[in-house]
Amino acid sequence: MITDFGEFVRGDRVRANTPPEINEAIDTEIAATIRFYAGKTDYEISRRIKELDHEWDIERYIEANAAIFSFIGAVLGLKWSRKWFILPVLVAIFLLQHAVQGWCPPVSVFRRLFIRTRKEIELEKYALKALRGDFDRVSFQESEIARAKEAVSDSKSFYD
């Protein structure tokens, strides 16, 4: 059983800036979840996939955190002391740092709380879809040409 999903989530800047032991712990949790659902019904797997669709990723936590602290800093700056205006400035710097580097101080805190990246969530989701058999029909096609034709016809019916 695969427990290191680094190859599957390559290019994830948050993972690249996270200590390996935290990434390993998250990968182990994903693998354990997939093993747990391997013996479950399609309904239970579908319910878990729906939960994953609603799971907040680290980007969303960072954005919400920034909004909250910026608002608090602005209110405190207006009500008590102008010194509080430094808080929204720091938040803006952290957001810029995260946009440029993929890391900022809140990322370390959230990763230690096992907040996952969107790619990690999607990895679990697609593994569960494979368990459910969503890709079985595609894998049993006889040739690549037949698979391509079926994909094109399915996509055309989607837009009709």
Side-chain angles (χ1 to χ4, degrees):
M1 176 59 85
I2 298 173
T3 55
D4 178 15
F5 298 109
E7 285 297 310
F8 297 110
V9 289
R10 189 179 318 168
D12 191 329
R13 294 181 319 157
V14 171
R15 274 184 72 90
N17 290 298
T18 300
E21 61 274 4
I22 294 174
N23 285 336
E24 289 170 15
I26 290 171
D27 291 348
T28 301
E29 182 182 323
I30 292 169
T33 301
I34 293 166
R35 280 193 303 273
F36 174 77
Y37 280 95
K40 300 296 181 185
T41 65
D42 286 353
Y43 173 77
E44 291 168 311
I45 293 172
S46 297
R47 200 170 66 211
R48 176 63 183 155
I49 290 171
K50 191 172 210 79
E51 288 172 8
L52 292 172
D53 287 338
H54 297 289
E55 182 176 331
W56 280 28
D57 64 358
I58 195 161
E59 303 294 330
R60 193 167 182 187
Y61 275 98
I62 289 171
E63 292 164 359
N65 181 56
I68 289 167
F69 280 103
S70 293
F71 181 74
I72 289 170
V75 169
L76 292 175
L78 291 171
K79 293 277 185 182
W80 279 280
S81 171
R82 297 180 72 196
K83 292 177 185 177
W84 282 104
F85 286 127
I86 193 71
L87 189 58
V89 170
L90 286 174
V91 169
I93 291 170
F94 287 164
L95 279 176
L96 178 62
Q97 181 183 17
H98 180 67
V100 172
Q101 296 177 339
W103 182 88
C104 63
V107 168
S108 297
V109 174
F110 288 136
R111 290 298 278 177
R112 291 186 193 292
L113 295 171
F114 295 99
I115 305 299
R116 301 189 294 176
T117 66
R118 176 56 41 202
K119 287 184 178 183
E120 291 165 338
I121 295 167
E122 293 297 322
L123 176 71
E124 180 181 333
K125 190 165 119 178
Y126 284 107
L128 291 171
K129 286 182 175 187
L131 279 177
R132 190 174 62 183
D134 290 11
F135 309 116
D136 287 350
R137 194 174 72 143
V138 174
S139 66
F140 287 124
Q141 294 294 325
E142 291 181 6
S143 71
E144 292 180 22
I145 295 171
R147 285 177 46 205
K149 285 180 181 177
E150 185 174 347
V152 170
S153 68
D154 286 347
S155 65
K156 285 181 181 176
S157 65
F158 177 74
Y159 290 105
D160 290 339

